[in-house]
Protein backbone atom coordinates (compact mmCIF):
# COMPACT_ATOMS: atom_id res chain seq x y z
CA UNK A 1 0.00 0.00 0.00
CA UNK A 2 1.43 3.37 -0.93
CA UNK A 3 2.19 6.08 1.57
CA UNK A 4 -0.09 8.39 -0.40
CA UNK A 5 -3.16 6.22 0.31
CA UNK A 6 -2.25 5.90 3.99
CA UNK A 7 -1.78 9.66 4.23
CA UNK A 8 -5.16 10.16 2.55
CA UNK A 9 -6.83 8.16 5.32
CA UNK A 10 -5.36 10.39 8.01
CA UNK A 11 -6.20 13.54 6.03
CA UNK A 12 -9.80 12.38 5.54
CA UNK A 13 -10.14 11.59 9.23
CA UNK A 14 -8.75 14.97 10.27
CA UNK A 15 -11.16 16.68 7.87
CA UNK A 16 -14.05 14.67 9.26
CA UNK A 17 -13.04 15.66 12.80
CA UNK A 18 -13.00 19.30 11.72
CA UNK A 19 -16.50 18.96 10.27
CA UNK A 20 -17.62 17.39 13.51
CA UNK A 21 -16.19 20.30 15.49
CA UNK A 22 -17.92 22.79 13.20
CA UNK A 23 -21.18 20.90 13.65
CA UNK A 24 -20.85 20.89 17.44
CA UNK A 25 -19.67 24.44 17.92
CA UNK A 26 -20.86 26.58 15.03
CA UNK A 27 -24.14 25.00 13.97
CA UNK A 28 -25.96 25.72 17.25
CA UNK A 29 -24.96 29.38 16.95
CA UNK A 30 -26.21 29.52 13.36
CA UNK A 31 -29.39 27.68 14.39
CA UNK A 32 -30.32 30.60 16.59
CA UNK A 33 -30.25 32.83 13.52
CA UNK A 34 -31.65 30.38 10.98
CA UNK A 35 -34.29 27.98 12.35
CA UNK A 36 -33.79 25.45 9.53
CA UNK A 37 -30.25 24.77 10.75
CA UNK A 38 -31.72 24.04 14.18
CA UNK A 39 -33.22 20.89 12.71
CA UNK A 40 -29.73 19.68 11.76
CA UNK A 41 -28.06 20.69 15.01
CA UNK A 42 -30.20 18.34 17.11
CA UNK A 43 -30.91 15.59 14.57
CA UNK A 44 -29.73 12.31 16.13
CA UNK A 45 -28.91 10.79 12.73
CA UNK A 46 -26.21 13.44 12.17
CA UNK A 47 -24.27 12.31 15.24
CA UNK A 48 -24.66 8.65 14.35
CA UNK A 49 -23.56 9.39 10.76
CA UNK A 50 -20.39 11.16 11.95
CA UNK A 51 -19.53 8.34 14.36
CA UNK A 52 -20.33 5.61 11.81
CA UNK A 53 -18.15 7.34 9.21
CA UNK A 54 -15.29 8.05 11.61
CA UNK A 55 -15.02 4.50 12.98
CA UNK A 56 -14.00 2.64 9.79
CA UNK A 57 -11.71 5.45 8.60
CA UNK A 58 -9.98 5.54 11.99
CA UNK A 59 -9.75 1.78 12.18
CA UNK A 60 -8.28 1.48 8.72
CA UNK A 61 -5.90 4.41 8.89
CA UNK A 62 -4.59 3.93 12.43
CA UNK A 63 -4.22 0.16 12.18
CA UNK A 64 -1.96 0.25 9.11
CA UNK A 65 1.55 -0.94 9.93
CA UNK A 66 4.40 1.53 9.84
CA UNK A 67 7.26 0.96 7.40
CA UNK A 68 9.05 -1.35 9.83
CA UNK A 69 5.94 -3.55 9.95
CA UNK A 70 4.80 -2.63 13.46
CA UNK A 71 1.51 -1.04 14.38
CA UNK A 72 1.43 1.97 16.67
CA UNK A 73 -0.85 0.63 19.40
CA UNK A 74 -0.76 3.91 21.34
CA UNK A 75 -2.23 5.87 18.43
CA UNK A 76 -4.73 3.08 17.75
CA UNK A 77 -5.85 3.18 21.39
CA UNK A 78 -6.08 7.00 21.36
CA UNK A 79 -8.18 6.91 18.20
CA UNK A 80 -10.29 4.06 19.60
CA UNK A 81 -11.09 6.06 22.72
CA UNK A 82 -12.07 8.99 20.49
CA UNK A 83 -14.43 6.78 18.45
CA UNK A 84 -15.98 5.30 21.60
CA UNK A 85 -16.61 8.81 22.91
CA UNK A 86 -18.29 9.77 19.62
CA UNK A 87 -20.63 6.78 19.88
CA UNK A 88 -21.36 7.52 23.55
CA UNK A 89 -22.20 11.09 22.59
CA UNK A 90 -24.47 9.93 19.76
CA UNK A 91 -26.28 7.63 22.20
CA UNK A 92 -26.44 10.49 24.73
CA UNK A 93 -24.77 8.36 27.38
CA UNK A 94 -24.60 9.09 30.24
CA UNK A 95 -26.94 12.04 29.57
CA UNK A 96 -28.10 14.51 26.94
CA UNK A 97 -26.02 17.23 28.64
CA UNK A 98 -22.82 15.23 28.11
CA UNK A 99 -23.35 14.93 24.34
CA UNK A 100 -21.46 18.05 23.27
CA UNK A 101 -18.46 17.67 25.63
CA UNK A 102 -18.09 13.98 24.73
CA UNK A 103 -18.30 14.75 21.01
CA UNK A 104 -15.71 17.51 21.26
CA UNK A 105 -13.34 15.41 23.37
CA UNK A 106 -13.79 12.38 21.11
CA UNK A 107 -13.21 14.45 17.98
CA UNK A 108 -10.10 16.08 19.45
CA UNK A 109 -8.64 12.72 20.52
CA UNK A 110 -9.35 11.24 17.12
CA UNK A 111 -7.90 14.24 15.26
CA UNK A 112 -4.82 14.15 17.50
CA UNK A 113 -4.28 10.45 16.81
CA UNK A 114 -4.58 11.00 13.07
CA UNK A 115 -2.33 14.07 13.16
CA UNK A 116 0.37 12.15 15.03
CA UNK A 117 -0.06 9.19 12.68
CA UNK A 118 0.29 11.47 9.65
CA UNK A 119 3.38 13.07 11.16
CA UNK A 120 4.98 9.70 11.93
CA UNK A 121 4.31 8.43 8.44
CA UNK A 122 5.71 11.57 6.81
CA UNK A 123 8.95 11.18 8.80
CA UNK A 124 9.32 7.57 7.63
CA UNK A 125 9.92 8.54 4.01
Amino acid sequence: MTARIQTWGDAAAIGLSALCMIHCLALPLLAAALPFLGLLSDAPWVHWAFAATAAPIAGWSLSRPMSEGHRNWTLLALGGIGVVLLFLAAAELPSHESETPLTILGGLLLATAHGLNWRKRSHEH
Side-chain angles (χ1 to χ4, degrees), residues 3-4 6-7 10 66-68 72 75 114-125:
R4 183 182 310 238
Q6 291 173 346
T7 300
D10 288 320
M66 297 291 168
S67 62
E68 68 273 2
N72 191 325
L75 293 181
H114 284 291
L116 292 172
N117 194 44
W118 190 347
R119 184 174 177 202
K120 260 184 145 359
R121 289 190 189 283
S122 67
H123 286 282
E124 287 183 335
H125 303 290

Side-chain angles (χ1 to χ4, degrees), residues 25-94:
L25 299 173
L27 201 55
L29 296 174
L30 292 173
L34 302 169
F36 172 72
L37 292 177
L39 297 173
L40 293 177
S41 70
D42 278 337
W45 67 267
V46 174
H47 299 123
W48 286 105
F50 272 123
T53 304
I57 293 173
W60 176 80
S61 179
L62 295 174
S63 69
R64 308 303 310 158
M66 297 291 168
S67 62
E68 68 273 2
H70 300 296
R71 286 176 173 74
N72 191 325
W73 295 106
T74 305
L75 293 181
L76 189 57
L78 185 65
I81 291 168
V83 168
V84 167
L85 290 175
L86 291 178
F87 277 107
L88 287 174
E92 296 183 354
L93 291 175

